[in-house]
Amino acid sequence: LRTKTIMSTETWISGAHKRKETLLSQIGGEKILKEAVDLFYKHLLSDPDLSRFFHGTNMEILKWHVLNFMSVAFGDVPKTFDLENLILDQHKFLFEDPYGLSVDDFDRFVGCFKMTLAELDIENDVVEEAVGVLQRLQPVFEKGQRDAELRKKTESRQLHFLQTAALASVVGMAVLSWAKKRN
């Protein structure tokens, strides 16, 4: 069980100005980042464990969102950007059944991104820095997974309570009916 605390937006933003000047340009700028996003999704869609998250998704729109996200992540993150809530709100359904997005899936996504940057011949230290930026998001995915598990347990308890109450009602009505017939 991982016990990291959820990061604040401020933690994620720290170092963003420096990243704007270095990381996005070291990757090769927007043009190379676009190539990376295209190749990244090619890898994701060829992975049977990860491709399930994209059934019915308009990939061009998704790629556009991810390109914009990574441009911000590897550049200058606005201080008002509430990344944690954005991720949790937009991905809530993926944490739920039948998808069950987990921290292990997050790690595989990051691994695919690392492999993608390496395939584009981006220097290893730049790849590691970019992966480090994404890794800081892992606590958000941990929270999403925990919250989904808690919702599932709560729903299960509520269902069990309702089933027990319904059974008690049926038994009660049967006893009343039996008592009425007996008199």
Side-chain angles (χ1 to χ4, degrees):
L1 180 69
R2 294 178 171 105
T3 57
K4 293 180 185 175
T5 57
I6 300 301
M7 64 157 190
S8 69
T9 304
E10 287 297 319
T11 302
W12 194 71
I13 290 172
S14 67
H17 184 68
K18 179 183 166 220
R19 284 196 306 271
K20 181 176 185 177
E21 295 174 355
T22 61
L23 187 55
L24 187 58
S25 62
Q26 287 178 6
I27 287 173
E30 295 281 337
K31 181 180 180 212
I32 298 299
L33 188 57
K34 184 180 182 326
E35 286 180 44
V37 169
D38 287 338
L39 185 57
F40 175 59
Y41 277 100
K42 182 178 177 184
H43 289 304
L44 292 177
L45 293 173
S46 67
D47 183 318
D49 292 327
L50 297 177
S51 64
R52 64 190 173 94
F53 294 110
F54 304 104
H55 294 296
T57 300
N58 182 324
M59 294 307 294
E60 292 308 311
I61 292 174
L62 182 59
K63 287 178 185 179
W64 178 81
H65 281 292
V66 170
L67 177 64
N68 286 316
F69 167 77
M70 288 186 179
S71 295
V72 170
F74 300 148
D76 194 10
V77 181
K79 292 205 182 285
T80 58
F81 194 62
D82 188 353
L83 183 62
E84 179 179 326
N85 284 324
L86 175 70
I87 289 172
L88 293 174
D89 289 346
Q90 295 299 310
H91 295 82
K92 182 178 179 178
F93 76 99
L94 291 173
F95 289 109
E96 308 288 340
D97 287 335
Y99 298 106
L101 180 63
S102 69
V103 175
D104 291 336
D105 297 317
F106 172 80
D107 291 341
R108 288 183 72 155
F109 279 101
V110 173
C112 280
F113 188 69
K114 182 177 182 175
M115 178 176 63
T116 297
L117 293 181
E119 285 180 32
L120 292 172
D121 293 326
I122 295 173
E123 292 180 23
N124 191 50
D125 59 329
V126 175
V127 171
E128 291 303 321
E129 185 177 350
V131 167
V133 169
L134 297 180
Q135 281 291 25
R136 288 186 215 130
L137 299 175
Q138 187 179 40
V140 177
F141 284 81
E142 290 171 354
K143 181 178 183 346
Q145 183 178 354
R146 273 194 318 272
D147 289 353
E149 290 167 357
L150 181 60
R151 283 189 298 274
K152 187 175 181 176
K153 285 180 186 177
T154 301
E155 290 169 4
S156 178
R157 287 183 193 131
Q158 290 170 341
L159 179 60
H160 178 68
F161 173 77
L162 291 174
Q163 290 170 335
T164 302
L167 181 60
S169 294
V170 169
V171 169
M173 290 186 335
V175 168
L176 287 175
S177 176
W178 175 78
K180 191 175 185 182
K181 287 181 185 180
R182 198 160 182 234
N183 288 335

